[in-house]
Amino acid sequence: MSWGAGGFKTQQRIANTYRMAPQKHEKFKSYVAEALMQGILRSYLDGETYNRTMCTSLSKSLSDVIKERMKDQGWSQRYKYVCVVNIGELKDQGMAVASRCMWNTETDSFASASYKKGNLFAVATLYALYFE
């Protein structure tokens, strides 16, 4: 990203390659992403207890950290990432999370990781969407 007129961030444009899919070495690997996400959740949440105010800002921070780490993996720059992090308190309750996406099964993918310790749980889901 670069800074544009008026101090707003502008997204860098990528030249058109006329490729409709990533090359084999550029393809998103969900098993790598899941391992990275698991490590990020563990490193940020170990030793924490549930606090509503803290968890609100922490879920946003974790989402940003996960997206940035995925961009550093060397997969195609043409992937866009959407990351959702849910953090909650364990109190013998259930939680169901569902999502639906319309995408290209050849190029788009997702990864998910979870964390649970003490009275805190977290679920992170990352969607990797290829664009041309």
Side-chain angles (χ1 to χ4, degrees), residues 53-64:
T53 307
M54 182 267 306
C55 288
T56 300
S57 62
L58 187 56
S59 63
K60 293 175 188 176
S61 298
L62 280 169
S63 183
D64 289 338

Side-chain angles (χ1 to χ4, degrees), residues 62-109:
L62 280 169
S63 183
D64 289 338
V65 168
I66 290 170
K67 285 190 297 185
E68 290 304 314
R69 288 285 302 272
M70 295 307 141
K71 291 176 185 177
D72 295 339
Q73 291 308 302
W75 297 315
S76 175
Q77 289 182 341
R78 295 190 180 275
Y79 276 107
K80 288 193 178 218
Y81 299 104
V82 176
C83 186
V84 179
V85 177
N86 297 302
I87 301 176
E89 183 177 17
L90 287 170
K91 282 189 165 181
D92 294 327
Q93 81 280 14
M95 182 175 109
V97 177
S99 63
R100 293 179 185 224
C101 300
M102 188 153 87
W103 63 24
N104 182 343
T105 57
E106 298 296 317
T107 58
D108 302 337
S109 189

